[in-house]
């Protein structure tokens, strides 16, 4: 699994003109599921996301996690995170997991993140054409791949 975490002051997801999710300060997380991903990937990423110290403490140092600051959470499925650009200029999505794997792992990640943070995770709609708006705070953007564990 591969995620992109963005610290935001606000974020929202709109589908066909209807806003389906809105958050204030917290994290917008884009979630990509690849073939071969499994439960341990979701478990590791949810814990990493919940405990990632990317919010400022009283001294202006990034030393607090989203759960410590009580930030909101919005997770959006995004198969394009699995893109391979090795050949040519057209991305290939052959590593992307099919719906039968991707949907349950995305949902499991969201459930685990909610458990880790003690609050609901707002979501986009899996497979929908979504418009995601955000105000990146910092900007702070972190990419984490469960296979690399960095």
């Amino acid at each position: 699994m591969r995620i992109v975490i963005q610290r935001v002051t606000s974020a929202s997801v709109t589908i066909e003109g209807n806003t389906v999710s809105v958050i204030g300060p917290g994290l917008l997380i884009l979630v990509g599921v690849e073939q071969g991903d499994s439960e341990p990937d979701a478990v590791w990423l949810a814990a990493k996301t919940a405990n990632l110290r990317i919010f400022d403490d009283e001294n202006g140092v990034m030393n607090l996690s989203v759960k410590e600051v009580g930030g909101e959470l919005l997770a959006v499925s995004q198969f394009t995170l699995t893109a391979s650009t090795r050949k040519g200029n057209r991305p290939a999505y052959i590593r992307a997991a099919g719906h039968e794997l991707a949907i349950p792992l995305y949902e499991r990640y969201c459930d685990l993140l909610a458990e880790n943070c003690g609050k609901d995770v707002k979501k986009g709609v899996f497979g929908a054409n979504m418009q995601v708006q955000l105000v990146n705070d910092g900007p702070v953007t972190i990419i984490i791949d469960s296979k690399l564990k960095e």
Side-chain angles (χ1 to χ4, degrees), residues 88-116:
N89 294 314
R90 185 178 195 170
Y93 304 106
I94 59 173
R95 294 191 307 227
H99 284 74
E100 66 285 343
L101 174 63
I103 292 172
L105 273 181
Y106 163 72
E107 293 292 341
R108 184 67 177 138
Y109 168 81
C110 292
D111 291 345
L112 290 163
L113 183 58
E115 288 175 24
N116 276 289

Side-chain angles (χ1 to χ4, degrees), residues 6-21:
Q6 295 179 300
R7 186 179 74 184
V8 299
T9 56
S10 63
S12 65
V13 175
T14 303
I15 301 171
E16 296 179 1
N18 298 313
T19 301
V20 296
S21 290

Side-chain angles (χ1 to χ4, degrees), residues 4-62:
V4 175
I5 297 173
Q6 295 179 300
R7 186 179 74 184
V8 299
T9 56
S10 63
S12 65
V13 175
T14 303
I15 301 171
E16 296 179 1
N18 298 313
T19 301
V20 296
S21 290
V22 177
I23 64 166
L27 298 178
L28 168 66
I29 308 120
L30 306 175
V31 183
V33 180
E34 294 182 329
Q35 296 174 19
D37 288 338
S38 62
E39 170 90 3
D41 295 295
V43 170
W44 185 83
L45 282 172
K48 183 62 99 172
T49 303
N51 294 299
L52 196 62
R53 298 180 342 184
I54 58 173
F55 289 88
D56 292 347
D57 64 15
E58 66 279 355
N59 298 315
V61 176
M62 285 196 286

